C-alpha cells in the first residue's frame, strides 16, 4: 500500500471490519478504564462554579452563535473569571449524567460514550488563579493543579511552533487523549473516532465563547514532545491532540 493510501485507510470503516470484536478487552471481561484520569488524593484542587450558581454568563442565541462563528487570534488583555472558566469547561466536557465509574454522558457526544479526552488549561490570566497548568476534573467539576510553571507564555509559544498569539491568550485549552479508554471497546478502530470526538469538543468551545464575548481558534499545529512535556503527560498512554487559545475580543 502506498504511504498516502495507508494514512487514508485510517479514515475508513474498513479498519473496523478487520477487528474480531469477541477479542476486544471489553469482550474479554477486562475492567473498563475510569471516566477521568486518576490523581493523588493530596493534590491541590480548586472548586469550579456549578451551573446553578452562574450569574455572569449572559448567553447568546444559538443561531447568532453559529452564524457569526469564526477563528480569533487577537485577544484583549482582560482576565477571565472562574465562573467563565467553569462555563467553558462545562460546555466542552461537562458531565450531565454519571451512569457508573466508567460511563457518563457529557455535553458533547462521543463514540460508544467512551470520552477518551482529558482537558488541560494553560492559564495565564484568570482572576484568583496563579499562572500554571491545570486539569479539569469533570466528575468533581474541579480544577486539579498540575504545575505552576512561571515562563508559561514562552513555553507554550515554543511548543506551538511559535504561533505567538497562543502565548498571549489568557487561557488555552489543551486536549489530550488517553486512547485506551476507546481501544478498550474498539481496538484499532478507536483512533478515527477519537479524532472525530475532538472536533465536537472544540466546536462547542467556539459556540460557548460567543456567549461571553470571547473568541477562540482551533490549533492542530504543535510540537508533540514539547506540548506533552509541558503538560507532564507521558506521550505514550496519554498525549496532546488539539489546542484552542481563548480570550476576550
Ligand atoms: C483541525 C484544525 C486545525 C487548525 N489548526 C490551526 C493552527 O494550528 N493555527 C491556526 O492559526 N489556525 C488553525 N486552525 C484554524 C483554521 O485556520 C480556520 O478554522 C480556518 O482558516 C477557517 O477560518 P474560520 O474558523 O474563521 O472560519 C485550525 C482549524 C482546524 C479545524
Amino acid at each position: 500500500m502506498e504511504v498516502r493510501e495507508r494514512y487514508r485507510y485510517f479514515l475508513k470503516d474498513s479498519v473496523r471490519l478487520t477487528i474480531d470484536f469477541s477479542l476486544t478487552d471489553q469482550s474479554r471481561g477486562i475492567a473498563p478504564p475510569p471516566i477521568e484520569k486518576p490523581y493523588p488524593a493530596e493534590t491541590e484542587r480548586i472548586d469550579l462554579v456549578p451551573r446553578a450558581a452562574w450569574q455572569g454568563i449572559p448567553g447568546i442565541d444559538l443561531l447568532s452563535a453559529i452564524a457569526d462563528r469564526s477563528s480569533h487570534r487577537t485577544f484583549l488583555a482582560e482576565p477571565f473569571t472562574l465562573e467563565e472558566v467553569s462555563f467553558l469547561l462545562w460546555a466542552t466536557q461537562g458531565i450531565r449524567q454519571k451512569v457508573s465509574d466508567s460511563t457518563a454522558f457529557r455535553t458533547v457526544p462521543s463514540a460508544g460514550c467512551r470520552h477518551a479526552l482529558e482537558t488541560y488549561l494553560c492559564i495565564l490570566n484568570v482572576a484568583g488563579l496563579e499562572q500554571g497548568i491545570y486539569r479539569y476534573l469533570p466528575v468533581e467539576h474541579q480544577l486539579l493543579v498540575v504545575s505552576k510553571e512561571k515562563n508559561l507564555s514562552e513555553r507554550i509559544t515554543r511548543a506551538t511552533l511559535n504561533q505567538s498569539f497562543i502565548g498571549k491568550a489568557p487561557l488555552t485549552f489543551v486536549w489530550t487523549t488517553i486512547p485506551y479508554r476507546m481501544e478498550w471497546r474498539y481496538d484499532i478502530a478507536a483512533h478515527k473516532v477519537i479524532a472525530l470526538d475532538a472536533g465536537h469538543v472544540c466546536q462547542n468551545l467556539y459556540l460557548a465563547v460567543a456567549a461571553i464575548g470571547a473568541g477562540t481558534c482551533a490549533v492542530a499545529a504543535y510540537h508533540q514532545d514539547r506540548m506533552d512535556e509541558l503538560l507532564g503527560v507521558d506521550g505514550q498512554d496519554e498525549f496532546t491532540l488539539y489546542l484552542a487559545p481563548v480570550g476576550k475580543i
Side-chain angles (χ1 to χ4, degrees), residues 136-148:
Y136 181 44
L137 301 176
V139 175
E140 297 85 348
H141 196 51
Q142 287 179 323
L143 276 182
L144 184 82
V145 178
V146 175
S147 65
K148 290 183 181 167

Side-chain angles (χ1 to χ4, degrees), residues 24-38 99-104 112-114 178-185:
T24 63
D25 282 3
Q26 178 177 18
S27 300
R28 292 191 295 130
I30 293 171
I35 296 172
E36 69 186 18
K37 182 182 174 181
V99 178
S100 69
D101 288 341
S102 62
T103 306
C113 202
R114 298 307 307 148
I178 298 182
Y180 182 66
R181 250 187 239 156
M182 196 65 86
E183 292 162 351
W184 175 79
R185 176 165 298 166

Side-chain angles (χ1 to χ4, degrees), residues 69-71 73 163 165 206 217-221 242:
R69 186 218 59 82
S70 66
S71 296
R73 298 178 183 83
Q163 299 188 76
F165 68 96
Y206 267 97
C217 179
V219 169
Y242 206 13

Side-chain angles (χ1 to χ4, degrees), residues 54 56-62 64-66 68 80 83-84 87-88 90-91 204-215 246 248-249:
W54 295 342
I57 308 297
I60 186 176
D61 83 273
L62 182 62
S64 306
I66 293 172
D68 297 335
F80 278 70
E83 181 174 294
E84 289 170 331
F87 160 62
L88 296 179
W90 168 84
N204 262 25
L205 184 64
Y206 267 97
L207 298 179
V209 293
I212 55 168
V246 177
K248 296 288 170 68
I249 52 174

Side-chain angles (χ1 to χ4, degrees), residues 118-120 122 156 172-176 227 231 240 242-243:
E118 291 283 331
T119 306
Y120 292 76
C122 171
I156 194 155
T172 296
F173 281 68
V174 186
W175 293 290
T176 64
M227 272 313 306
L231 302 182
T240 305
Y242 206 13
L243 292 88

